[in-house]
Amino acid sequence: MATREQAMVNTVSGFSKKVNKKLTDVDVEYATRKTKLALVIFPMWSVYFPPYNLARLAGITKNAGYETEIFDVNIEAYNFSQQSDMPYNLWTSGGWQWFGGGFYEKILPYLKDFFESKIEQIVSYNPDVIGLTEYSYSEECNQYFAKRLKERLPDVIFMVGGPNLQQVKDDYSGKLIYDYIVSGEGENAIQAVMNKIEAGIIPKSKPEIIEQHANERLNISNFPLPDYCNLDFNLYSVPNGASSEFSRGCVAKCTFCSETHFHKYRQRESTDALSEVIHFNETRGTQIFYFLDSLVNGNLKALKEFSQGITESGREIKWLGYARHDGRMDLDYLKTIADGGCLALNFGCESASQSVLDNMDKKVTVEEMEQNFDDITKVGIHAMTNFLFGFPNETKNDFYQTLQFIWRVREKNLNSLSLGHGFMPNVDTIIGQNPEKHNLSNNTYHDHWISCDHKVAGPHVLSRVKSAFLFTDLLETVVINPIYSPENNSKGVAVDIRDDQNFGYYSLTFHDESVIKEIEREDFDFDIIKYDGNIFAESLLNEMFPLFRLLWRTRGGFDIKFKFSPEIDWEHFGIEGFISFGDCPYNAELNFSINDDGNWNLDIEANMIQGHMPFRFVDFTSSKGRVVDRAKRLAKNKYGLGQRTPEEILEAEMETDDTNDTIDYSFEYSDTITGKW
Ligand code: B12
Ligand code: SF4
């Protein structure tokens, strides 16, 4: 490190205290070793930056004396596919083609020859051990490659780790393929596995699952530097970018979140992060660092120290990462981190309804969120945002609050919106382990969750997601724009949000395109259409009013035609649509017109024919594992770390049978309604 940087690190370390206690150190002992390791990332994963997790692990294994190479088949496949005749872009956030057999049907035909060439490359490296990193998107692809590689290298030992294995699913099919499955942080586990293989120790039964203790926290401050081996940074979308990390775990415990249970929180010392960033800036010319933390502002003091260190270094280093909205980040604070290179904060907003935020346990107020937006705009930090629509206790007015918020902050450095496909309960979340406390039923309906009051289910969430897509299509000021443009002497971080197409589900004409109005936040009662005796249908028939009212308040009079049909929605969302919204056969056509004075007219035709036995009981308590157990502890349900007994399950299933016998939400509705807003 240059003297100037060393001086700066020394200055910062003066006020940088040891941030956490009771950490497990990662000791790396060098020895001459014979076992050869290939670390591989197969598609599909993000293509912005080279894979940090594998570079971290390679840093460890190489320092321990193991010959190691990283193969990034993901980035090469991505670059190859850009020149191929593939009819879809497989690396966009949709990416449903990678699941449920899609890999074999939709992907392999286009990439088989290319994949064979990659197999040749790995075979010619002739590794003893192949370590795969896995995301849910790469599960199927990994298994294909593992089988093919095993044919070519019959003695090779496979280990797999990564985000998809934080919680090893009970029915994880990789159990039949891999020798070692690492669940949790990999730095110590990979050394343990490599040392066993080096010593000729064979697992007693296959696979050996190495599960990190739920309470263990590795000390992430003194690792060897990430080692990218021979990876060419120019292959990535941001060639002057790389990742880093500042903490693991999360200080918050949002009720819907899995990843907060992956690890117990701990912070990296700011000086350690600084020296890594400066090293890559110096040796690879890296200017943009994406912090991979669940949230980069978990420890505000350490982040401030880091930023001051960047300022003192005088280097052109920019950084970004996920963040929580936090009222303590005032204008002064944000100015300090902006001066210290903060390019963007990727906010997990989720909702702008206080009641939903409280139910999620976000520990933030809508006022604080708006204040953050005001202040980042003043200091020049960009905001990337993430939303989660259709929480079980989200009313139409709550959803309306979120859309109003998006409109109100649209010109406050709002750089991107990641809208997602609505809330999905997972076993390793607080809500998953205590659903009824959050208005989430233990039954599903048409293969989608349903709220206890039966007012929110698949088609309701679909309506909100489609409404949000339409509304944000119109936000011309929010572009998918590079936040660091080539003109700024650097390659941009282009943030893709979603496919910007309406798939024919709406047509919209404003009476005067030029009208744009600022609005104050308001509450509104959207229970306009009444449908006695069918609470599900009544709620659904009113789903589009929040969008219609907001369009009118912000853009004046308009005419809109809006459609729902399984055909359109399947084409739009593919298999992810089924996963996200279930298979409720909802058809509707709404023709809505409103003039500037607020006189409106709605022609609506809608129907839904309920299928056979649509309610199904699901038991999340039977899942086990380090991540689920952490969620169970915090969920505080009556089963604790245990589970329902077989008798309790039987009883619950019988209740569900009763529900199937007594409830039929089928409906057919056609009407013309008028009103005045
Ligand atoms: C940062 C991040 C992103 C960044 C990625 C930037 C980048 N270039 O990598 C961005 C914002 C782009 C992103 C996007 C998405 N993300 Co994301 N993301 C994360 C996050 C917060 C951190 C991932 C990370 O790199 N951590 C740091 C590294 C060091 O940790 P790691 O990869 O887990 O590796 C450690 C261990 O797993 C293990 N390990 C890893 N590999 C291996 C291999 C071997 C052999 C061994 C022994 C061990 C081992 O050792 C490592 C060191 O301890 C995680 C949540 C989390 N906290 O983990 C979600 C997460 C990975 N993302 C997730 C998802 C779903 C997505 C999206 C699909 C979201 C969406 N619908 O759009 C997209 C898809 C990306 C794409 N197609 O472009 C899911 C993946 C779920 C799964 N089961 O696979 C996660 C887990 C979030 C969650 N709540 O579930 N994401
Ligand atoms: S949603 Fe974000 S802030 Fe909340 S617990 Fe998860 S990672 Fe932390």
Side-chain angles (χ1 to χ4, degrees):
M1 200 186 299
T3 332
R4 183 164 54 111
E5 270 78 47
Q6 189 58 61
M8 174 272 304
V9 167
N10 291 343
T11 315
V12 176
S13 62
F15 53 92
S16 160
K17 289 205 198 75
K18 232 186 169 13
V19 271
N20 295 112
K21 293 183 185 128
K22 289 199 193 143
L23 301 179
T24 305
D25 284 324
V26 175
D27 297 318
V28 186
E29 214 171 293
Y30 184 82
T32 307
R33 325 249 191 188
K34 56 181 190 304
T35 311
K36 201 169 160 185
L37 171 67
L39 289 169
V40 194
I41 174 166
F42 288 115
M44 183 276 276
W45 187 238
S46 168
V47 293
Y48 299 136
F49 311 108
Y52 186 78
N53 52 8
L54 296 188
R56 265 258 172 265
L57 297 177
I60 303 270
T61 52
K62 279 174 118 176
N63 272 278
Y66 293 105
E67 185 181 340
T68 306
E69 191 53 85
I70 300 180
F71 295 85
D72 188 343
V73 180
N74 176 54
I75 190 65
E76 291 192 43
Y78 168 73
N79 288 332
F80 176 84
S81 76
Q82 297 303 294
Q83 274 114 51
S84 81
D85 54 357
M86 215 180 268
Y88 22 71
N89 186 352
L90 294 166
W91 275 260
T92 54
S93 47
W96 53 267
Q97 295 90 346
W98 297 96
F99 294 104
F103 171 76
Y104 291 92
E105 211 182 293
K106 309 255 182 217
I107 296 172
L108 201 53
Y110 293 96
L111 293 177
K112 193 154 198 277
D113 291 345
F114 169 79
F115 281 162
E116 283 305 307
S117 69
K118 294 297 118 189
I119 288 171
E120 281 316 318
Q121 248 179 39
I122 297 169
V123 168
S124 56
Y125 176 67
N126 197 22
D128 303 298
V129 186
I130 296 181
L132 306 177
T133 189
E134 184 160 295
Y135 301 86
S136 48
Y137 286 85
S138 52
E139 185 176 323
E140 227 162 288
C141 186
N142 269 358
Q143 294 187 12
Y144 166 79
F145 272 101
K147 285 178 196 153
R148 285 287 296 116
L149 283 161
K150 196 83 187 166
E151 286 163 18
R152 301 291 306 281
L153 300 166
D155 297 328
V156 84
I157 292 174
F158 276 101
M159 66 174 142
V160 65
N164 201 36
L165 282 313
Q166 291 286 0
Q167 172 69 35
V168 184
K169 284 173 274 169
D170 301 336
D171 57 352
Y172 176 55
S173 53
K175 286 181 188 167
L176 302 173
I177 297 172
Y178 304 117
D179 302 280
Y180 291 95
I181 296 176
V182 171
S183 173
E185 292 173 275
E187 285 80 358
N188 276 341
I190 199 166
Q191 292 194 79
V193 173
M194 291 302 288
N195 293 349
K196 277 190 197 181
I197 297 169
E198 176 81 8
I201 302 169
I202 301 193
K204 285 195 194 86
S205 61
K206 194 177 139 181
E208 184 172 326
I209 300 181
I210 299 173
E211 199 177 52
Q212 186 177 22
H213 190 281
N215 289 331
E216 187 185 60
R217 301 185 292 174
L218 298 188
N219 178 359
I220 57 171
S221 286
N222 295 308
F223 289 159
L225 280 167
D227 189 330
Y228 288 95
C229 302
N230 291 314
L231 290 180
D232 177 0
F233 280 29
N234 287 313
L235 296 178
Y236 297 87
S237 304
V238 189
N240 63 335
S243 308
S244 187
E245 64 183 341
F246 204 51
S247 62
R248 283 189 189 164
C250 179
V251 290
K253 294 283 166 280
C254 301
T255 53
F256 61 85
C257 176
S258 301
E259 72 182 70
T260 188
H261 310 301
F262 288 179
H263 315 288
K264 271 182 108 171
Y265 181 80
R266 94 286 340 217
Q267 179 70 40
R268 184 177 180 186
E269 283 166 27
S270 44
T271 43
D272 196 52
L274 263 176
S275 45
E276 179 182 311
V277 160
I278 287 169
H279 167 83
F280 284 102
N281 181 256
E282 198 145 286
T283 56
R284 295 259 196 171
T286 309
Q287 292 170 298
I288 299 174
F289 290 86
Y290 189 100
F291 280 102
L292 297 164
D293 311 42
S294 291
L295 80 175
V296 78
N297 62 343
N299 181 325
L300 292 180
K301 184 169 166 288
L303 186 63
K304 189 171 169 187
E305 285 165 11
F306 171 82
S307 309
Q308 288 167 326
I310 298 284
T311 307
E312 285 202 29
S313 79
R315 285 174 178 263
E316 254 308 294
I317 289 175
K318 302 280 176 198
W319 56 269
L320 62 159
Y322 279 122
R324 286 183 72 230
H325 279 292
D326 192 326
R328 294 171 302 165
M329 297 198 300
D330 59 15
L331 188 60
D332 266 2
Y333 183 90
L334 290 165
K335 174 142 189 3
T336 308
I337 65 168
D339 291 345
C342 180
L343 193 60
L345 294 174
N346 195 346
F347 287 117
C349 304
E350 325 304 356
S351 169
S353 146
Q354 197 58 53
S355 119
V356 175
L357 289 169
D358 292 345
N359 204 273
M360 291 174 168
D361 207 8
K362 277 289 232 192
K363 294 199 169 53
V364 70
T365 64
V366 181
E367 288 71 28
E368 285 172 318
M369 291 166 67
E370 288 211 1
Q371 186 64 49
N372 280 172
F373 268 93
D374 284 346
D375 293 343
I376 58 166
T377 309
K378 289 182 189 139
V379 300
I381 294 174
H382 290 262
M384 294 149 86
T385 56
N386 301 271
F387 290 91
L388 188 58
F389 302 115
F391 209 57
N393 78 331
E394 185 186 75
T395 62
K396 282 174 249 311
N397 182 46
D398 291 325
F399 173 61
Y400 181 55
Q401 298 304 315
T402 306
L403 292 187
Q404 289 183 90
F405 174 83
I406 292 174
W407 179 259
R408 282 165 61 81
V409 301
R410 74 195 185 284
E411 288 185 343
K412 295 181 180 172
N413 276 15
L414 175 55
N415 179 268
S416 74
L417 291 143
S418 180
L419 302 177
H421 290 164
F423 162 72
M424 191 70 82
N426 289 321
V427 289
D428 47 7
T429 58
I430 292 173
I431 184 169
Q433 291 301 333
N434 200 350
E436 280 159 323
K437 185 174 171 204
H438 301 270
N439 192 27
L440 177 66
S441 167
N442 281 306
N443 287 327
T444 54
Y445 182 73
H446 272 282
D447 277 327
H448 187 276
W449 60 266
I450 184 165
S451 58
C452 292
D453 59 14
H454 290 189
K455 286 184 177 176
V456 192
H460 307 76
V461 178
L462 176 66
S463 307
R464 293 178 199 184
V465 169
K466 284 171 58 162
S467 295
F469 277 21
L470 184 158
F471 188 65
T472 52
D473 273 350
L474 304 170
L475 299 181
E476 280 163 20
T477 52
V478 181
V479 276
I480 310 174
N481 67 353
I483 51 185
Y484 214 60
S485 69
E487 295 85 286
N488 273 353
N489 200 18
S490 193
K491 182 90 180 184
V493 179
V495 182
D496 57 1
I497 308 166
R498 63 194 153 78
D499 289 335
D500 244 342
Q501 303 169 42
N502 94 30
F503 287 87
Y505 68 77
Y506 72 84
S507 63
L508 169 66
T509 317
F510 290 111
H511 296 172
D512 179 354
E513 275 287 343
S514 67
V515 172
I516 302 276
K517 295 183 204 170
E518 300 310 323
I519 51 164
E520 289 303 315
R521 292 206 310 252
E522 66 157 23
D523 290 309
F524 198 78
D525 179 0
F526 291 104
D527 289 336
I528 296 168
I529 299 175
K530 301 289 174 199
Y531 195 118
D532 282 348
N534 191 334
I535 200 161
F536 177 98
E538 183 174 277
S539 176
L540 187 53
L541 292 168
N542 287 301
E543 276 296 342
M544 298 311 295
F545 283 118
L547 172 72
F548 295 163
R549 180 161 173 89
L550 190 57
L551 283 177
W552 170 69
R553 285 182 71 213
T554 55
R555 305 296 307 274
F558 65 91
D559 305 305
I560 190 170
K561 182 186 277 226
F562 202 94
K563 282 190 199 164
F564 291 89
S565 82
E567 292 74 39
I568 295 176
D569 299 325
W570 265 90
E571 196 196 335
H572 190 174
F573 298 104
I575 192 167
E576 247 190 40
F578 173 72
I579 296 167
S580 309
F581 310 115
D583 67 350
C584 192
Y586 176 49
N587 289 284
E589 188 163 326
L590 295 91
N591 285 288
F592 181 87
S593 301
I594 187 165
N595 66 14
D596 285 344
D597 297 331
N599 296 303
W600 59 261
N601 179 88
L602 173 67
D603 283 328
I604 175 168
E605 277 186 30
N607 66 65
M608 194 277 288
I609 309 298
Q610 180 170 300
H612 180 61
M613 307 277 277
F615 289 95
R616 206 161 49 82
F617 172 72
V618 220
D619 175 39
F620 277 3
T621 65
S622 61
S623 274
K624 291 194 171 43
R626 49 186 284 278
V627 181
V628 174
D629 286 354
R630 282 173 57 84
K632 279 184 174 176
R633 269 195 195 94
L634 294 165
K636 296 198 174 81
N637 70 15
K638 64 177 177 183
Y639 306 101
L641 283 182
Q643 63 186 89
R644 283 190 181 84
T645 61
E647 294 73 37
E648 283 173 316
I649 292 183
L650 196 64
E651 196 182 319
E653 282 173 345
M654 279 161 60
E655 267 177 40
T656 305
D657 285 348
D658 277 353
T659 311
N660 275 318
D661 290 343
T662 48
I663 291 187
D664 185 350
Y665 284 136
S666 301
F667 69 93
E668 184 140 14
Y669 183 88
S670 170
D671 206 356
T672 298
I673 316 159
T674 55
K676 163 98 176 102
W677 282 342

